Amino acid sequence: AQSVTQPDIHITVSEGASLELRCNYSYGATPYLFWYVQSPGQGLQLLLKYFSGDTLVQGIKGFEAEFKRSQSSFNLRKPSVHWSDAAEYFCVLTGGGNKLTFGTGTQLKVEL
Amino acid sequence: DTGVSQDPRHKITKRGQNVTFRCDPISEHNRLYWYRQTLGQGPEFLTYFQNEAQLEKSRLLSDRFSAERPKGSFSTLEIQRTEQGDSAMYLCASSLKDRSYNEQFFGPGTRLTVL
């Protein structure tokens, strides 16, 4: 069975500070991994994806994530957070099939 | 805008009533997915279609739930005899199968409240 764990339910950071959202996964092979963002009243938007190759992937809005096979992790980072980044972030896994498995999400609050 | 659209955006119903939601995927996408998201949780897979064929259903999809995609374009999700536990956001996504993995594009969702 595949699963995704996001250990932080809520995170608060100050605008301009750096951000790291944690994600651990469980899967028997190399998964496809994603980070999605969900803002109130808006659909889920893909931030970035990892399929293979370079373990550091760049996404939209200045986000990046690093795949670490030895730690079964795929943490999301941003060097300087903007107030508009406040949203819920989901780490997502698929084994290459059609079903996406989502983590429970991390709610990001940005203090001005 | 040619993104995924869902209708209605909000639905309030009484327990025991039937409800139907519609999803219009991105026009050239041949795969369509339904997910359910309850408060404080990530979306959970319900079912998916490739063209008009329903290829996979989750165990979450009880007998009261039925999904169709009759012409391989839009899809409907019907819930019969709604229960309070059905209250959730129902999300639709679509993708184009042309490689080993295809990005799923999500609609804004239909929020169902069962009183």
Side-chain angles (χ1 to χ4, degrees), chain B residues 11-104:
Chain B
K11 178 70 176 180
I12 300 174
T13 191
K14 293 182 179 179
R15 189 176 51 187
Q17 298 295 305
N18 299 344
V19 294
T20 300
F21 310 140
R22 176 179 171 126
C23 171
D24 286 90
I26 294 171
S27 60
E28 66 269 24
H29 285 185
N30 54 2
R31 287 192 170 178
L32 187 147
Y33 313 78
W34 286 99
Y35 292 83
R36 181 174 69 185
Q37 184 178 18
T38 54
L39 202 60
Q41 301 296 318
E44 296 172 291
F45 171 81
L46 292 178
T47 187
Y48 96 95
F49 294 83
Q50 180 160 311
N51 300 314
E52 64 275 10
Q54 188 173 17
L55 297 187
E56 186 174 351
K57 294 196 295 185
S58 162
R59 285 173 292 179
L60 293 174
L61 214 63
S62 75
D63 292 345
R64 296 183 297 105
F65 288 70
S66 63
E68 294 182 342
R69 194 182 184 199
K71 297 182 179 179
S73 57
F74 73 91
S75 175
T76 58
L77 178 68
E78 180 183 18
I79 309 174
Q80 296 182 326
R81 305 180 303 280
T82 53
E83 302 172 356
Q84 288 184 325
D86 297 330
S87 295
M89 176 77 85
Y90 290 84
L91 296 167
C92 176
S94 69
S95 71
L96 177 64
K97 175 174 171 45
D98 63 355
R99 292 186 295 275
S100 60
Y101 177 76
N102 314 103
E103 178 181 343
Q104 295 184 24

Side-chain angles (χ1 to χ4, degrees), chain A residues 7-68:
Chain A
D8 303 306
I9 299 174
H10 299 279
I11 282 187
T12 301
V13 299
S14 299
E15 189 175 36
S18 63
L19 171 70
E20 182 168 24
L21 302 183
R22 295 183 292 163
C23 171
N24 292 95
Y25 69 88
S26 175
Y27 187 68
T30 300
Y32 296 159
L33 292 162
F34 312 85
W35 277 95
Y36 278 83
V37 60
Q38 187 176 41
S39 300
Q42 299 188 22
L44 286 156
Q45 182 181 25
L46 180 67
L47 285 177
L48 48 78
K49 57 192 174 191
Y50 171 77
F51 287 174
S52 64
D54 193 346
T55 57
L56 185 64
V57 293
Q58 302 296 321
I60 62 171
K61 304 184 180 184
F63 286 92
E64 67 177 25
E66 185 171 12
F67 172 66
K68 292 185 177 180

Side-chain angles (χ1 to χ4, degrees), chain A residues 76-92:
Chain A
L76 181 72
R77 300 194 293 249
K78 186 171 185 178
S80 177
V81 170
H82 187 262
W83 64 266
S84 61
D85 293 326
E88 186 149 29
Y89 292 79
F90 292 97
C91 183
V92 184

